[in-house]
């Protein structure tokens, strides 16, 4: 698996310039840093330049720690962090980046991984414009251009730096022969018939929260930003290819145009809210429910492509962490999506460090909601640190005194002893999984009560849709796992991962029945279900 890009990567608290001004000033008063109290949730925000992050931390009642403090409950950093940093975190800590997420957040990595899924499931991945990665696919691109010429067709292509951002270095071309063969570029077919608003092209910034990769949990924020071009749109031709204010919707590009409108009225200006946009769709008899459904499906399918890479990288960083336990990582992603004239969404790119700048009131309102609702969903508690330290102490004592609930099986043990040992191991495994399932249920109950303006889009409640996504996940893992460690593959196929609480309780009861039979005790069938003797042993014989 390719390593994460090192450009812009930082480790630990980030020594950035913290003097960035907040253009839109809220009426909320900043809290003065007080002496740390027992039971206070702490946050290290040395790694962010965005004032809105600090304001939300204050609003949550978290206490900001000194820049050098690495023991905080929450660590927020604008840039991706090195994997070593994630490895060093205690279980009670949270950091706002996953390892491996660069696999969909760099333009070239996204294109490469999407191409693999398109080959396996072409009908499910029709939301990505046709893409070529230069220089590796230069020849394929030139062959495609030749085929177009034979058919007397002409298309426009958009050219982007492979690891660019903020609209830098982007250009439009209609003659593919002029492209350099050795530059690291992404070339895509340009979507020439976008959905227009008041004659302007626009894109959507959709905010997504990923709270866990094991199991995968994805939340979509039901608001965001509509970012409009600042020149009336005309389909590309030889005379307007260089008019980037017309063809590009990046705020970082269009804010430099004198025609950029900073209007605080919700239905005017070059930047508007998605809440307003959905009301606009409804007023014009468009299907808003289908709009959100299409956006959700695009997001989930994209993160399915990332999931094998993220899970593998996370496991490498946290090798001793039981599957299904509380994630130390979370991430707020910015999906940039374009709508064509039929309202079909097309994925442009994904930002793992979306800007939380607040140049206008609309920025402040939307981004404050994104951050505040995300932190409430995470459920960071004052007791997390204390419980983690107590657990570490208990585990250290068990290792020191050799305390273990399961005795080691001695060489030459009888069949009876081997069967009892196997049953004891199964019971311990089932009890551990049962505890994990109950924790997950508790987390879901908290999420359901504190979702705010987020909606859980994975796992979905619709069973048919869940089955469809799980099939895509299987394909993604199959593609990723070829040649990977067998132990990783076995863990992913562990039948316990798919069981519910009542299933595990049934298996535990069957273990007790089998154990009593081995001990020669009279047993009675308990519970409403009939059971098969030694079912647990058969279930796990290949794991």
């Amino acid at each position: 698996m390719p390593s994460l890009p090192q450009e812009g990567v930082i480790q630990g608290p980030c020594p950035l310039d913290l003097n960035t001004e907040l253009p839109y000033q809220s009426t909320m008063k900043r809290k003065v840093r007080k002496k740390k109290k027992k039971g206070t949730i702490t946050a290290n925000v040395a790694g962010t330049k965005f004032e809105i992050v600090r304001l939300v931390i204050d609003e949550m009642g978290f206490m900001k720690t000194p820049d050098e403090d690495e023991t905080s409950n929450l660590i927020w950093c604008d840039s991706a962090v090195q994997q070593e940093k994630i490895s060093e975190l205690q279980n009670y800590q949270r950091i706002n980046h996953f390892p491996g997420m660069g696999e969909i957040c760099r333009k070239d990595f996204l294109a490469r991984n999407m191409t693999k899924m398109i080959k396996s499931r072409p009908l499910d991945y029709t939301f990505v414009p046709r893409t070529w990665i230069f220089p590796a696919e230069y020849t394929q691109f030139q062959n495609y251009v030749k085929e177009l010429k034979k058919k007397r067709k002409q298309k426009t292509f958009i050219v982007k730096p492979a690891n660019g951002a903020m609209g830098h270095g982007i250009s439009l071309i209609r003659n593919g022969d002029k492209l350099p063969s050795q530059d690291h570029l992404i070339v895509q077919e340009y979507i020439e018939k976008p959905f227009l608003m008041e004659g302007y092209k626009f894109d959507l910034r959709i905010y997504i929260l990923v709270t866990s990769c094991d199991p995968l949990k994805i939340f979509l924020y039901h608001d965001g930003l509509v970012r409009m071009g600042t020149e009336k749109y005309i389909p590309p031709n030889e005379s307007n290819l260089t008019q980037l204010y017309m063809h590009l919707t990046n705020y970082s590009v269009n804010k430099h145009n004198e025609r950029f409108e900073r209007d605080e009225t919700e239905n005017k200006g070059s930047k508007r809210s998605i809440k307003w946009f959905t009301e606009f769709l409804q007023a014009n008899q468009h299907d808003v429910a289908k709009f959100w459904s299409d956006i959700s499906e695009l997001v989930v399918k994209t993160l399915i492509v990332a999931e094998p890479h993220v899970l593998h990288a996370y496991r490498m960083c946290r090798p001793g962490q039981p599957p299904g336990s509380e994630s130390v990582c979370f991430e707020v992603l910015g999906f940039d999506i374009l709508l064509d004239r039929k309202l079909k969404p097309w994925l442009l790119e994904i930002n793992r460090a979306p800007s939380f700048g607040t140049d206008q009131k609309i920025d402040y309102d939307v981004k404050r909601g994104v951050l505040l609702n995300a932190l409430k969903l995470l459920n960071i508690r004052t007791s997390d640190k204390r419980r983690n330290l107590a657990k570490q102490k208990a585990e250290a004592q068990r290792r020191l005194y050799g305390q273990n609930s399961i005795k080691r099986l001695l060489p030459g043990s009888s069949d009876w002893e081997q069967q009892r040992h196997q049953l004891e191991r199964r019971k311990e495994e089932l009890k551990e999984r049962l505890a994990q399932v109950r924790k997950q249920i508790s987390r879901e109950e908290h999420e359901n009560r504190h979702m705010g303006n987020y909606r859980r889009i994975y796992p979905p409640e619709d069973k048919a849709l869940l089955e469809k996504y799980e099939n895509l996940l299987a394909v993604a893992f199959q593609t990723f796992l070829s040649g990977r460690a067998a132990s990783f593959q076995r863990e992913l196929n562990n039948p316990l991962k798919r069981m519910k609480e009542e299933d595990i309780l049934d298996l535990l009861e069957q273990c007790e029945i089998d154990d009593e039979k081995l001990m020669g005790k009279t047993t009675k069938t308990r519970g409403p279900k009939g059971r098969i003797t030694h079912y647990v042993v058969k279930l796990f014989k290949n794991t």
Side-chain angles (χ1 to χ4, degrees):
M1 173 181 140
S3 60
L4 284 173
Q6 297 298 310
E7 183 176 337
V9 169
I10 55 178
Q11 183 171 5
C14 315
L16 300 178
D17 178 16
L18 302 182
N19 295 320
T20 304
E21 292 295 327
L22 182 65
Y24 173 75
Q25 297 295 331
S26 77
T27 56
M28 187 188 308
K29 292 183 179 180
R30 290 284 306 279
K31 293 183 180 179
V32 179
R33 184 180 292 168
K34 300 176 183 178
K35 187 176 180 181
K36 184 176 174 181
K37 295 179 182 179
K38 186 177 180 181
T40 301
I41 296 173
T42 55
N44 188 322
V45 290
T48 182
K49 64 183 179 181
F50 299 115
E51 189 68 6
I52 188 69
V53 176
R54 292 182 176 80
L55 289 171
V56 168
I57 292 295
D58 287 341
E59 191 172 351
M60 286 291 295
F62 297 176
M63 179 166 287
K64 295 190 286 293
T65 60
D67 295 355
E68 65 276 5
D69 188 344
E70 296 185 0
T71 66
S72 301
N73 297 80
L74 172 67
I75 299 172
W76 189 282
C77 214
D78 294 339
S79 303
V81 294
Q82 289 184 346
Q83 296 192 10
E84 290 79 4
K85 175 64 181 175
I86 296 171
S87 301
E88 294 165 0
L89 293 176
Q90 296 293 322
N91 288 337
Y92 70 87
Q93 294 184 283
R94 301 288 178 272
I95 195 164
N96 67 314
H97 291 291
F98 277 98
M101 198 63 81
E103 290 292 328
I104 58 168
C105 294
R106 263 187 61 142
K107 294 180 178 68
D108 49 350
F109 290 2
L110 173 65
R112 182 192 61 207
N113 289 314
M114 281 295 187
T115 298
K116 291 178 182 178
M117 280 300 283
I118 289 168
K119 287 179 180 177
S120 301
R121 300 295 290 264
L123 297 181
D124 286 300
Y125 285 82
T126 60
F127 54 84
V128 184
R130 190 164 185 172
T131 307
W132 295 266
I133 307 170
F134 280 31
E137 295 174 348
Y138 176 82
T139 303
Q140 292 96 309
F141 173 73
Q142 292 300 338
N143 291 338
Y144 179 70
V145 171
K146 289 176 183 176
E147 288 298 317
L148 289 175
K149 288 180 178 177
K150 286 181 183 177
K151 297 174 182 178
R152 295 186 177 180
K153 291 183 178 179
Q154 189 168 31
K155 290 194 175 185
T156 304
F157 302 94
I158 186 165
V159 183
K160 311 174 185 179
N163 194 25
M166 300 174 68
H168 296 313
I170 297 179
S171 61
L172 270 63
I173 62 161
R174 287 170 75 82
N175 185 353
D177 299 333
K178 295 180 180 180
L179 281 175
S181 61
Q182 296 302 314
D183 288 3
H184 291 272
L185 301 170
I186 297 297
V187 181
Q188 287 184 319
E189 284 189 354
Y190 183 76
I191 298 168
E192 298 189 12
K193 297 177 181 178
F195 189 89
L196 301 180
M197 202 155 53
E198 300 168 13
Y200 294 95
K201 182 180 174 182
F202 65 93
D203 74 357
L204 306 175
R205 165 58 60 87
I206 304 286
Y207 292 99
I208 300 299
L209 172 65
V210 182
T211 59
S212 169
C213 66
D214 186 15
L216 180 61
K217 284 192 176 182
I218 309 169
F219 299 85
L220 181 150
Y221 192 71
H222 263 229
D223 202 354
L225 296 172
V226 180
R227 306 175 305 182
M228 303 173 67
T230 47
E231 300 282 351
K232 294 273 187 176
Y233 182 77
I234 299 172
N237 55 57
E238 294 297 340
S239 64
N240 70 12
L241 290 179
T242 59
Q243 295 183 31
L244 298 185
Y245 295 140
M246 176 190 296
H247 296 295
L248 301 188
T249 51
N250 308 62
Y251 166 70
S252 54
V253 172
N254 281 283
K255 69 180 181 180
H256 298 295
N257 189 357
E258 61 183 13
R259 296 186 181 181
F260 185 89
E261 295 181 26
R262 298 179 183 275
D263 197 311
E264 300 300 344
T265 309
E266 68 172 12
N267 63 343
K268 294 181 181 179
S270 298
K271 191 186 288 186
R272 306 179 192 182
S273 71
I274 290 179
K275 178 178 177 293
W276 171 84
F277 178 67
T278 54
E279 292 169 356
F280 166 84
L281 290 179
Q282 198 162 18
N284 287 275
Q285 287 74 52
H286 294 292
D287 191 339
V288 175
K290 186 177 186 303
F291 163 78
W292 279 121
S293 174
D294 291 346
I295 294 289
S296 299
E297 193 163 318
L298 179 152
V299 169
V300 172
K301 286 179 177 179
T302 302
L303 283 164
I304 280 173
V305 171
E307 169 66 358
H309 302 274
V310 174
L311 179 59
H312 179 63
Y314 186 81
R315 293 275 183 85
M316 294 294 286
C317 291
R318 315 287 298 174
Q321 189 164 320
S325 56
E326 197 94 42
S327 174
V328 300
C329 297
F330 69 97
E331 193 137 19
V332 177
L333 299 167
F335 274 64
D336 292 345
I337 293 172
L338 180 75
L339 300 176
D340 66 19
R341 65 177 179 176
K342 295 181 180 179
L343 281 181
K344 175 185 175 178
W346 292 84
L347 178 64
L348 300 181
E349 63 182 35
I350 304 146
N351 297 271
R352 69 180 314 182
S355 170
F356 285 104
T358 50
D359 293 349
Q360 298 173 237
K361 183 179 182 296
I362 189 172
D363 290 305
Y364 177 85
D365 292 341
V366 170
K367 294 172 184 180
R368 173 184 168 274
V370 168
L371 293 169
L372 191 63
N373 285 231
L375 293 181
K376 288 179 179 179
L377 257 175
L378 290 179
N379 193 22
I380 301 173
R381 295 155 297 188
T382 56
S383 59
D384 290 343
K385 186 174 184 179
R386 185 177 66 253
R387 288 177 180 174
N388 180 69
L389 293 174
K391 187 177 179 181
Q392 284 182 332
K393 185 177 179 181
E395 288 175 354
Q397 286 181 334
R398 277 199 298 271
R399 288 194 299 268
L400 180 63
Y401 298 110
Q403 296 171 347
N404 199 321
S405 58
I406 303 175
K407 295 181 180 179
R408 293 182 62 183
L409 192 64
L410 298 174
S413 299
S414 65
D415 290 346
W416 180 85
E417 289 171 328
Q418 289 179 20
Q419 287 179 33
R420 282 220 66 202
H421 184 265
Q422 190 173 18
L423 277 170
E424 288 299 321
R425 283 181 55 201
R426 295 309 176 202
K427 282 195 283 187
E428 286 298 314
E429 195 173 350
L430 286 165
K431 287 176 182 176
E432 183 180 318
R433 181 58 187 160
L434 181 62
Q436 291 170 6
V437 167
R438 285 174 172 169
K439 285 180 182 178
Q440 287 176 17
I441 291 171
S442 176
R443 284 198 288 268
E444 286 181 9
E445 288 173 349
H446 171 86
E447 290 165 358
N448 292 338
R449 292 193 305 269
H450 297 88
M451 247 185 260
N453 211 18
Y454 278 100
R455 299 291 180 270
R456 186 189 294 111
I457 59 173
Y458 190 90
E461 293 181 1
D462 186 307
K463 290 184 178 179
L465 186 58
L466 177 60
E467 185 177 356
K468 175 183 176 180
Y469 287 154
E470 286 180 338
N471 289 336
L472 291 176
L473 264 173
V475 173
F477 274 109
Q478 198 172 27
T479 303
F480 174 80
L481 287 173
S482 54
R484 299 277 174 176
S487 59
F488 187 55
Q489 295 190 44
R490 280 199 303 273
E491 170 55 38
L492 293 172
N493 294 324
N494 187 344
L496 281 183
K497 288 177 71 69
R498 297 183 291 277
M499 287 188 179
K500 296 180 179 179
E501 182 179 9
E502 56 267 28
D503 300 323
I504 298 172
L505 286 170
D506 285 342
L507 291 178
L508 270 171
E509 186 176 338
Q510 184 60 47
C511 279
E512 295 291 345
I513 293 170
D514 291 345
D515 194 21
E516 289 174 359
K517 286 182 178 179
L518 281 172
M519 298 297 290
K521 296 179 182 179
T522 303
T523 60
K524 295 180 180 179
T525 302
R526 288 162 286 185
K529 299 179 183 178
R531 294 175 174 82
I532 304 171
T533 305
H534 301 305
Y535 172 66
V536 179
V537 175
K538 290 178 182 179
L539 176 66
F540 288 95
K541 67 181 180 179
N542 294 323
T543 63

